[in-house]
Amino acid sequence: MEDLEDLMANEVVLDRCGNWVESQKNCFYTKEDSLKQKLDELECDDWYNTDSEFDSVSECGGKKRKVGTQLKDEVLDLICEWKECTFRSNHLDKFLRHVSSHIPNIQISIKNDNEVYVCQWKDCPYNTDVDDEVIRHVNYHAYHTKLKCIGSNVRAKIKLPKCHRDAEWKNILDSPPPHLCRWEECLKLFTNYQMYLYHVTVHMTDCPRGNRIKDGVDCKWTGCNGKYTSLYKLRDHVRCHTKEKIIACPDCGVTFASKTKFHIHCQRQIPLEVQGFRCSHCNKFYPTEGILRDHMRSHVFNYKCTLCDMSCESPSGLAKHVRYRHMSTRTFPCQLCSHAAKSQQDLDSHMTVHTNGPNFSCYFEGCLYTCKGAYTLDRHLERVHSLAVRWYCCHECPIKYRKSYRLTKHLIEAHRLQLPSGHKRFHYTQEEDGCYRLQMVRYEAVDEENMLPVEEADLPDKKYKIELNQTTSLTTVKIVEDNSEEEMKEAAQDSQEETAENGVDKFVPVISNILISIDDVDEKGNIIKQEIVEIQETKELPPSEKPLLILT
């Protein structure tokens, strides 16, 4: 009897499968839809990632796994914000084509005697004189609208707090870089970012599927040697090459590469007076325990520099320390003068010396203050419009200063404090009374098993530089020892030896404790003023273009 029931159940399942197969025969895919079909198949494999071949999702009545809503299944309410346009659609492809149709009608204006293209998206001030850039920019507005719709859906489902930032900035976008596919040197260029992502994803359809691939799945992006255990993890990695974002805040427009970062962004919008998690080190408040825990990691310095006693809170901080402290190479030259900087940020700050007039102006109504630097403008807003004054107070005596460097000088000279090993300055933290005082506690967690004892550590006094090798299509970066100073010393020593061999240095006497009398005389030879100068013992003569004069 049980066998009969099982047989009938199997026949019902088979009939259901057969009906579903017959229904698919009526589906015809055009060439344009074939790309979308491949992407849907790939995304399904990613979401239903499992070790069991029976734990799958089908139309045959099998047991379904409970998963979250896929990004491709989000219901989008896409609204075109182009000037005087009221188009609205729930289909992404139609919306992308519609936004692209505005590009031929873009506004052209005159700026500095040059014609520039002006973006007419709501609240977007973007303009450029390069046609390819404006096409990429306008198309990216369509992709950004999709991300904002996804953010609005996610926030409504889990009831996240609303963002309180200025909504006028939500459509201000940075100009996206060229969309160039470098998967196995494909080098295909796109002006539409969504189409670019579709294209890159199709490249991965030939990769093996599964959760634990033997020997891993290789990333074939030019210059990348990554290897990953599944196709899903490979797709997640490729986002770092394509700079793909998956969600955006619907209020301020900030984009994020993961939903977790979007959740944290919304949770941070809780008013300060109701944030109940406080950092015991810097006295700052945070809305959730998780955000506070992430913040506390920034107070632990566990990345040790192998060239000195400095420790940093992050790998990027350690890289910055090595670049500025131990490297002499300046790889960012100025195109207008002989100056060279160690980073792009330093070069941008330097470029302000070549500009005529101010670069920043105060945005408060009625204030005419202007300046060249962003830091100077921030201090103006803090001092004048926020009526806030930064006081750096000594923890030993009642004295206080307006500048941190003056307090540093006071602590060293008056209280005989020494800078921490590996540091060039003190660190100050803001306390409850609003004053900045010396940071008395520093948390370091260095792996002592891999570190030599201090007595045995013999740190060489060397400098390093970066060498760029462009012999191939790829530019390789290598850190090598900078021997420029030693080479100069050796060259100077060789020059002295060569001079001695020629018989010139033999006539230069070794003079010790000489007194030189400098006399001012009048026309008749009478001494008006006399000055005596004492010279130390030396063998080196001052540099001069004139021939050597030897006194006997």
Side-chain angles (χ1 to χ4, degrees), residues 446-460:
V446 181
D447 187 5
E448 296 182 355
E449 296 181 358
N450 299 326
M451 297 296 298
L452 294 175
V454 178
E455 297 79 17
E456 300 179 7
D458 185 15
L459 299 177

Side-chain angles (χ1 to χ4, degrees), residues 4 12 24 46 49 62 79 88 108 150 158 193 196 210-211 256 261 277 310 370 383 391 485 488 493 516 519 550:
L4 181 60
V12 171
Q24 300 304 304
D46 288 345
N49 197 5
I79 302 175
R88 195 167 191 161
I108 301 178
I150 295 176
I158 58 179
Y193 188 67
Y196 168 62
N211 194 34
F256 303 94
K261 293 182 179 179
F277 297 89
M310 182 68 175
T370 58
R383 184 178 61 257
W391 287 109
E485 294 185 358
M488 293 176 62
Q493 185 177 359
I516 299 178
D519 300 334
I550 301 176

